[in-house]
């Protein structure tokens, strides 16, 4: 907590609900911070962490907004992926804004996103905005 006072640090440490660790293994590392509406997972392999699943190593950041929308951002820091599928077990009504590399999206009881090759994108982030269901 850069710049936080000792009192603020103690208060945060005493609040067990502030952050929830979704995964902390050699395959995935992820957290959910309810007060910020943020879920972040580094997938070192394909797999599942919390409500997120990825078909290959990648980084995924979800930001839920107070207006009923959310963004899901993916990146391929290793710059090796020929394609990527990400799912989130959370109802989604519609995709409001895709990304040019978004090849397919499914909504309903869960969100499914399929991205075209990311390998030549220099590890850049690719964001999709959805309306939550």
């Amino acid at each position: 907590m850069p710049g936080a006072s000792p009192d603020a640090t103690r208060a945060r440490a005493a609040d067990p609900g502030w952050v929830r660790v979704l995964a902390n293994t050699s395959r995935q590392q992820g957290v959910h911070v309810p007060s910020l509406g943020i879920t972040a997972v580094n997938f070192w392999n394909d797999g599942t962490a919390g409500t997120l699943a990825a078909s290959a190593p990648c980084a995924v950041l979800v930001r839920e907004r107070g207006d009923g929308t959310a963004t899901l951002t993916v990146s391929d820091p290793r710059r090796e992926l020929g394609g990527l599928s990400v799912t989130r077990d959370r109802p989604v009504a519609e995709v409001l804004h895709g990304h040019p590399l978004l090849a397919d999206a499914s909504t309903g009881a869960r969100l499914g996103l399929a991205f075209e090759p990311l390998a030549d994108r220099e590890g850049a982030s690719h964001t999709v905005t959805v309306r939550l269901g």
Side-chain angles (χ1 to χ4, degrees):
M1 294 181 27
S5 70
D7 287 340
T9 303
R10 275 191 290 280
R12 178 67 49 83
D15 182 1
W18 184 80
V19 65
R20 186 170 55 122
V21 175
L22 303 175
N24 189 20
T25 70
S26 61
R27 297 184 61 81
Q28 291 95 22
Q29 292 176 318
V31 296
H32 176 63
V33 183
S35 64
L36 300 177
I38 291 177
T39 301
V41 180
N42 283 324
F43 290 91
W44 306 112
N45 301 90
D46 64 315
T48 301
T51 61
L52 292 170
S55 65
C58 65
V60 180
L61 173 65
V62 177
R63 291 183 178 153
E64 289 198 12
R65 301 176 179 157
D67 64 358
T69 65
T71 58
L72 189 142
T73 302
V74 300
S75 67
D76 173 19
R78 299 178 332 148
R79 302 183 302 179
E80 296 179 354
L81 295 181
L84 174 65
S85 294
V86 175
T87 58
R88 183 172 186 227
D89 283 328
R90 172 80 158 84
V92 170
E94 65 180 315
V95 173
L96 298 174
H97 185 266
H99 185 277
L101 293 180
L102 183 64
D104 190 33
S106 61
T107 59
R110 77 191 293 197
L111 176 65
L113 302 174
F115 292 89
E116 293 179 354
L118 302 173
D120 62 346
R121 302 301 173 162
E122 299 179 359
S125 298
H126 310 288
T127 300
V128 174
T129 304
V130 300
R131 178 161 317 286
L132 299 171

